[in-house]
């Protein structure tokens, strides 16, 4: 079977929220009132740092689908002023964030031990806080979030092939910027990272065979497997990957913006920026060409994200290895598309109702792991008021 991206159909319930007249849906979704409703109706667990785990009601998978966000909606009312990247979080927030990520991923590995049967992934996504709220493709909640999902392989195998030109697969064409025009210097720059647990691996080796994705992204194998997720040094290296990406992104788009090759303020790897990026003729040529395109084409210019946004993914490949990869996030597409999975959500209340008891049961099992870690408190939502599923 030739590798190809897949489009899967995921049933969802009917939305019960009423959006006030005159508001775009995404504007309402980012309001404090809606985020309060999200926590009350689908919240699972909250920590003192306001890290909120909740059920993705309009989600990607009915096997397992949950998110953790840094919920600052009560403290910061301006949606454009909320933290949207891990480097904007406090040290304590990052510590608990990493702990919740490890516990959630450990649960998925234990519940679904066979990579031939289930694809499991945890994806951290950030947004550009300057992106207009009503811009098509902007995620419904403008906060840093970590998304945990499981897909049965039998469902992916039976799904139809996705359109390879789907904007979510190509990030509206932005993938080509990094994968075709800057791939060599991008990989060379990230090779400067001093990593011991994360070992570089080509996507031709770590890609999911069914889909052939990820394609060309810098990737690393977690040497030592799941046990290393308990090692604090793994999380240090995981953050180094992000910091390297941020330096690359800021340097490139600063050059596009000003035409002036310079090391960004507060760069994490200033010497490597000078030696690898700014000394690269190709890096400067691509930036110059893009700058000219921005000047000439207002539609293209409107699609540029000048501030760094990213998707950092931890997934299990076909051989059972844990793989880390990172990509820019230009159109707010789902992290599943990095693995070649396009999700089409279809309102189907009966299909969702049939799957809901088992889905909620697994979410509550994962939540119990967090409760046992004594890092926060459970939330009694209407569908699980006493820790057990209650049909609504």
């Amino acid at each position: 079977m030739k590798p190809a991206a897949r489009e899967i159909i995921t049933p969802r319930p009917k939305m019960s929220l009423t959006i006030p007249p005159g508001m775009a849906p995404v504007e309402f979704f980012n309001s404090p009132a809606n985020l309060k409703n999200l926590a009350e109706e689908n919240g699972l667990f909250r920590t003192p740092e306001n890290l909120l785990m909740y059920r993705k009601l309009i989600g990607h998978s009915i096997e397992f689908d949950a998110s953790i966000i840094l919920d600052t909606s009560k403290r910061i009312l301006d949606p454009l002023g909320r933290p949207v990247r891990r480097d904007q979080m406090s040290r304590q927030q990052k510590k608990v964030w990493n702990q919740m990520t490890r516990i959630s991923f450990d649960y998925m590995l234990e519940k679904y031990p066979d990579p031939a049967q289930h694809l499991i992934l945890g994806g951290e996504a950030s947004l550009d806080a300057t992106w207009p709220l009503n811009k098509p493709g902007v995620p419904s909640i403008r906060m840093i979030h970590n998304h945990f999902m499981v897909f049965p392989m039998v469902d992916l195998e039976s799904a139809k092939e996705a359109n390879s030109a789907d904007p979510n697969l190509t990030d509206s064409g932005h993938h080509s910027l990094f994968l075709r025009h800057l791939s060599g210097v991008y990989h060379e720059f990230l090779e400067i990272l001093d990593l011991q647990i994360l070992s570089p691996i080509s996507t031709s080796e770590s890609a999911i065979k069914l889909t052939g994705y990820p394609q060309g992204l810098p990737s690393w194998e977690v040497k030592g497997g799941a046990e290393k997720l308990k090692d604090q040094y793994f999380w240090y290296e995981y953050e180094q990957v992000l910091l390297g990406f941020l330096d690359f992104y800021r340097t490139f788009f600063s050059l596009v913006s000003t035409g002036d090759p310079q090391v960004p303020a507060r760069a994490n790897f200033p010497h490597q920026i000078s030696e690898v990026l700014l000394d690269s003729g190709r890096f400067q040529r691509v930036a110059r060409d893009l700058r000219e395109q921005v000047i000439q084409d207002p539609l293209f210019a409107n699609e540029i994200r000048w501030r760094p946004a990213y998707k950092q993914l931890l997934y299990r490949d076909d051989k059972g290895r844990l793989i880390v990869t990172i990509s820019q996030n230009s159109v707010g597409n789902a992290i599943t598309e990095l693995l070649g999975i396009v999700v089409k959500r279809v309102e189907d209340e009966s299909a969702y109702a049939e799957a809901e008891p088992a889905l909620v049961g697994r979410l509550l099992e994962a939540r119990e792991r967090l409760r046992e870690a004594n890092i926060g408190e459970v939330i009694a939502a209407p569908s699980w008021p006493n820790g057990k599923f209650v049909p609504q």
Side-chain angles (χ1 to χ4, degrees), residues 6 81 97 122 148 157 194 197 254 275 331 344 371 379:
R6 301 294 169 134
W97 175 270
F148 302 91
E157 290 164 357
D194 182 18
I197 295 175
S254 172
E275 295 175 3
V331 299
K344 184 178 180 180
R371 188 195 66 79
I379 298 174

Side-chain angles (χ1 to χ4, degrees), residues 3 175 178-180 183-184 186-187 190-191 199-221 311 313 315-319 321-327 337-340:
H175 280 330
F178 284 81
L179 301 188
R180 294 190 180 94
S183 178
Y186 186 33
H187 281 74
L190 291 179
E191 285 173 3
S199 178
I201 186 172
S202 69
T203 50
S204 61
E205 186 178 349
S206 62
I208 304 300
K209 290 182 180 179
L210 180 68
T211 65
Y213 284 72
Q215 295 184 344
L217 296 176
S219 300
W220 297 263
E221 177 186 355
K311 289 167 287 193
L313 185 63
Y315 70 97
R316 182 177 65 187
D317 73 0
D318 298 322
K319 296 181 180 178
R321 299 172 297 195
L322 298 188
I323 307 295
V324 172
T325 190
I326 192 165
S327 171
E337 280 105 19
L338 289 184
L339 298 182

Side-chain angles (χ1 to χ4, degrees), residues 327-343:
S327 171
Q328 81 279 6
N329 188 12
S330 294
V331 299
N333 53 341
I335 58 169
T336 58
E337 280 105 19
L338 289 184
L339 298 182
I341 302 169
V342 177
V343 179

Side-chain angles (χ1 to χ4, degrees), residues 67-134:
S67 276
I68 297 172
I69 62 172
L70 175 59
D71 181 12
T72 56
S73 61
K74 292 181 180 179
R75 183 171 59 87
I76 304 174
L77 299 183
D78 177 9
L80 301 184
R82 296 169 184 157
V84 291
R85 298 192 309 270
R86 191 171 357 116
D87 63 311
Q88 296 172 331
M89 299 167 75
S90 71
R91 183 174 181 178
Q92 177 62 19
Q93 286 170 340
K94 284 192 284 189
K95 178 182 177 181
V96 179
W97 175 270
N98 293 343
Q99 190 174 2
M100 295 178 76
T101 301
R102 175 185 62 79
I103 292 171
S104 300
F105 210 87
D106 279 347
Y107 169 79
M108 294 191 297
L109 289 170
E110 183 179 315
K111 189 74 174 180
Y112 305 98
D114 187 355
Q117 298 297 318
H118 293 93
L119 174 61
I120 66 176
L121 60 126
E124 177 179 310
S126 86
L127 315 173
D128 175 356
T130 66
W131 206 235
L133 277 175
N134 59 355

Side-chain angles (χ1 to χ4, degrees), residues 108-308:
M108 294 191 297
L109 289 170
E110 183 179 315
K111 189 74 174 180
Y112 305 98
D114 187 355
Q117 298 297 318
H118 293 93
L119 174 61
I120 66 176
L121 60 126
E124 177 179 310
S126 86
L127 315 173
D128 175 356
T130 66
W131 206 235
L133 277 175
N134 59 355
K135 183 72 178 177
V138 170
S140 58
I141 298 177
R142 184 185 292 272
M143 296 178 184
I144 183 172
H145 63 279
N146 218 346
H147 200 167
F148 302 91
M149 288 173 278
V150 178
F151 293 95
M153 291 301 295
V154 64
D155 292 349
L156 296 177
E157 290 164 357
S158 62
K160 73 172 187 178
E161 292 187 9
N163 180 358
S164 60
D166 188 299
N168 287 310
L169 288 173
T170 67
D171 211 15
S172 282
H174 287 264
H175 280 330
S176 64
L177 176 64
F178 284 81
L179 301 188
R180 294 190 180 94
H181 302 297
L182 293 172
S183 178
V185 68
Y186 186 33
H187 281 74
E188 181 184 355
F189 179 71
L190 291 179
E191 285 173 3
I192 56 92
L193 300 176
D194 182 18
L195 306 175
Q196 306 300 317
I197 295 175
L198 293 178
S199 178
I201 186 172
S202 69
T203 50
S204 61
E205 186 178 349
S206 62
I208 304 300
K209 290 182 180 179
L210 180 68
T211 65
Y213 284 72
Q215 295 184 344
L217 296 176
S219 300
W220 297 263
E221 177 186 355
V222 182
K223 289 296 185 182
E227 192 64 26
K228 285 298 182 180
L229 300 186
K230 300 175 184 177
D231 189 332
Q232 287 301 312
Y233 199 74
F234 164 78
W235 297 105
Y236 168 78
E237 294 191 358
Y238 192 75
E239 180 136 338
Q240 292 300 294
V241 168
L242 170 60
L243 297 180
F245 168 84
L246 294 177
D247 272 5
F248 184 93
Y249 197 103
R250 287 180 175 128
T251 303
F252 180 75
F253 280 100
S254 172
L255 184 55
V256 173
S257 175
T258 68
D260 183 16
Q262 58 183 344
V263 176
R266 299 184 299 278
N268 301 290
F269 306 102
H271 298 300
Q272 291 86 343
I273 290 174
S274 294
E275 295 175 3
V276 178
L277 300 183
L278 298 183
D279 276 354
S280 167
R282 183 170 186 80
F283 185 82
Q284 296 210 35
R285 184 169 62 254
V286 173
R288 185 171 60 249
D289 292 346
L290 194 67
R291 177 178 170 82
E292 186 61 29
Q293 191 172 356
V294 168
I295 293 171
Q296 300 296 333
D297 185 347
L299 185 62
F300 178 81
N302 196 43
E303 296 297 323
I304 295 294
R305 277 196 165 172
W306 298 102
R307 302 292 180 268

